[in-house]
Each structure stands twice: as structure tokens, then as C-alpha cells.
Amino acid sequence: MISLRLIDQNNWEECINLKLKQEQQGFIASNLYSIAESKFSPQLEIKSIYCEEKLIGFAMYGIDSDDQNYWIYRFMIDERFQGHGYGKNAMKLIIEDIGSRDDCTDVIWLGYQPENEQSRRLYASVGFEEVGMAPWGEMLAKYSF
Amino acid sequence: MISLRLIDQNNWEECINLKLKQEQQGFIASNLYSIAESKFSPQLEIKSIYCEEKLIGFAMYGIDSDDQNYWIYRFMIDERFQGHGYGKNAMKLIIEDIGSRDDCTDVIWLGYQPENEQSRRLYASVGFEEVGMAPWGEMLAKYSF
């Protein structure tokens, strides 16, 4: 059973110890960086991902001030817990969470390195459609409610 | 002219790029870690230290929930700007800032690695008195208003 939970004084240090596989580490910023970043952007929501009572992942999302749409900026499952479908279930919960909000937008955006095949498959499996390359070198994908 | 300034969206990334000398790096947590930590402890104040318009250092202080006294938890001057007396001036501003607060306490505490001779001298020069070793291996020093 996967759940999204708040990050607080009790679990933030555990969150910064979550790790990606070596070859995935270049794909996204560290959780420590994301947590610090969220301090200065109150619209950025940070969430921990649990499988039962075990912390397995981290996500950051929120409304982008440039286009006023929801973006999922960071999403990771610790290397020890990959390959069990947890990521797909966690993404569904994030979509559900955004969809249930008063400020929900028609679409959710995200971007990933074009060579990040694993993420591409995961995002496609929950309904994201590739839209094209962003000027900053990421593949953009869009989920429509 | 040294000043303490807020850390916000515009200068936090510059703060995390400040660096200690190699041999000082084991003495305190990284600025990135401290910024993330402060997100979950609203009583922790983080401040950037400027010399004119140049960012030169970082500090974190606040009331400790255990003893209700002010503690200076982190204090660093970037390696490029050490040795000019900026640290001493910045510490004086921190003491002044704490002293001017409504919730100011009679004393300010801080701790440092006993082998950190440079910090010992700096803190002594602004009036901190060594009190003895903490159970966690740091030398404790106390400033009395």
C-alpha cells in the first residue's frame, strides 16, 4: 500500500538519505537540494512516498509561476525499492492529489532527460504524453485530466 | 562594511556555494544541509553575511527548545574571505541582532570542535567564554549580555 505523506522534522533526514542508482543520479537534483529549494518557493509541495511504514521515495510538485500549470518537478524511488511498481502507484497518487485540489489545472507537466527510458515508460504508463523537447534539453510530457 | 541579510530565492543558491578551507570542512554541516534543516524548525534563523555587496558567509541561530537559550548553530566565512576580520565583525552583528530581540535571553551558547583553534580565538575575541566539553564532543562557550 503506497501513500504520500508530509515531510517534517521527523522524516526529512531520512528523505535526504534516499538514493538513486548510480546511473540515475545525473537525472535529477538531490533531495537535499529540493528540500532547501522548497523553503524559498512556498508553492512547491514536497512529499515523501511510503510503502506501508517504509520510506521509499520523494516528490516535489506545484503550480509554476510562469505558466500557472501544475508541474511535477522531482520524483524518485530509492534504488532498493525500484522495479516493484511502487513508482507507478505513487505517480497515480500524485495525479489524484493534484486533481483533488481547488487550484487544479487542466494539465500536469513534467520533463525528463531524453535518455531516461525508465522514467519515460513510467510516466507513459499513467497517462503522460510526450509533447516535444524543451529548450533546456528535457523531453516534456503532459497529463490531461 | 559587514551586514547580515535575509536569505531568499535570490541568494540561497549563492549561499550553498560558499566554501570552507579543506581542513575546516569537517567542522560544520554544509550550508545546504542547514538551509534544509531550517525549513522544519521555524525558530532557526538563517542569515547571509555580506561585505558591501559581496556574499561572504552564512549563519544559523535561534532559541533552543531544550534550554530556551539562544544558540549560534552555524557560522562560516567563505575561504576566500577569511583572515580579514570579517568573521569577528559578523559575530558582533549576530550578538547585536540577538540582543535587540524581544525574546533575547541572558546568554548565547555555541559549540565547536576542540581542535578548531581558529573558531576558539574568534569567539573569544567577541566575548565568548569556554565552559567545558559537551557530551557530544564539542567545546561549549557562552556569551553573557
Side-chain angles (χ1 to χ4, degrees):
Chain A
M1 177 67 165
I2 302 297
S3 60
L4 299 180
R5 300 192 192 170
L6 290 181
I7 296 176
D8 63 18
Q9 216 167 359
N10 299 311
N11 66 354
W12 78 273
E13 287 189 279
E14 209 186 336
C15 285
I16 69 173
N17 289 326
L18 294 173
K19 269 180 62 181
L20 287 171
K21 293 179 186 166
Q22 185 92 42
E23 67 271 21
Q24 298 168 327
Q25 288 175 14
F27 289 147
I28 65 166
S30 73
N31 294 347
L32 180 57
Y33 180 92
S34 297
I35 289 171
E37 186 182 6
S38 73
K39 179 176 165 99
F40 305 103
S41 299
Q43 81 283 7
L44 293 178
E45 187 97 47
I46 52 172
K47 287 284 173 77
S48 52
I49 301 165
Y50 281 77
C51 176
E52 308 297 345
E53 291 308 309
K54 192 89 198 148
L55 176 69
I56 65 165
F58 174 87
M60 183 168 89
Y61 48 98
I63 290 185
D64 193 282
S65 54
D66 285 339
D67 65 8
Q68 303 300 323
N69 282 317
Y70 264 97
W71 281 73
I72 299 172
Y73 296 103
R74 310 279 152 68
F75 179 76
M76 63 87 75
I77 299 290
D78 182 276
E79 58 179 344
R80 294 165 300 161
F81 302 101
Q82 294 183 14
H84 300 87
Y86 299 151
K88 184 171 173 178
N89 286 327
M91 277 300 294
K92 285 181 184 168
L93 290 179
I94 292 171
I95 294 169
E96 201 177 294
D97 179 31
I98 295 173
S100 71
R101 291 169 179 227
D102 288 341
D103 61 359
C104 173
T105 49
D106 294 339
V107 293
I108 304 171
W109 288 91
L110 51 75
Y112 44 88
Q113 301 293 323
E115 67 273 27
N116 189 348
E117 185 56 29
Q118 204 179 358
S119 286
R120 196 195 61 76
R121 276 201 309 271
L122 191 157
Y123 298 141
S125 77
V126 295
F128 278 85
E129 287 178 3
E130 293 196 339
V131 170
M133 291 294 286
W136 58 89
E138 281 189 324
M139 174 58 77
L140 294 179
K142 188 170 82 169
Y143 178 93
S144 304
F145 282 104
Chain B
M1 177 67 168
I2 303 296
S3 59
L4 300 179
R5 300 193 191 170
L6 290 180
I7 297 176
D8 63 18
Q9 216 167 1
N10 299 312
N11 67 354
W12 79 274
E13 287 189 280
E14 210 186 334
C15 285
I16 69 174
N17 289 328
L18 293 173
K19 267 181 63 183
L20 288 170
K21 293 180 187 166
Q22 185 91 40
E23 66 273 21
Q24 299 168 328
Q25 289 175 13
F27 289 145
I28 65 167
S30 73
N31 295 347
L32 180 56
Y33 180 91
S34 298
I35 290 171
E37 186 182 3
S38 74
K39 180 178 163 96
F40 304 104
S41 299
Q43 82 282 9
L44 292 178
E45 187 96 47
I46 52 171
K47 287 281 173 76
S48 51
I49 300 166
Y50 281 76
C51 175
E52 308 297 344
E53 292 308 309
K54 192 89 197 151
L55 176 70
I56 66 165
F58 173 87
M60 184 168 89
Y61 47 99
I63 290 186
D64 193 282
S65 54
D66 285 339
D67 65 9
Q68 303 300 323
N69 282 317
Y70 263 97
W71 281 74
I72 299 172
Y73 296 103
R74 310 278 152 67
F75 179 76
M76 64 85 77
I77 300 289
D78 183 276
E79 59 179 344
R80 293 166 299 162
F81 303 100
Q82 295 182 15
H84 299 87
Y86 301 151
K88 184 172 173 178
N89 287 326
M91 276 301 292
K92 285 182 183 168
L93 290 180
I94 292 171
I95 294 169
E96 200 177 296
D97 180 31
I98 294 174
S100 71
R101 291 169 179 226
D102 289 342
D103 62 358
C104 173
T105 50
D106 293 339
V107 294
I108 304 172
W109 288 91
L110 51 73
Y112 44 88
Q113 302 293 324
E115 68 273 26
N116 189 348
E117 185 55 29
Q118 203 179 359
S119 286
R120 196 195 61 74
R121 276 201 308 272
L122 191 156
Y123 299 141
S125 77
V126 295
F128 277 86
E129 288 176 2
E130 293 198 338
V131 171
M133 292 293 287
W136 58 88
E138 280 188 326
M139 174 58 76
L140 294 180
K142 189 169 80 168
Y143 178 92
S144 305
F145 282 104

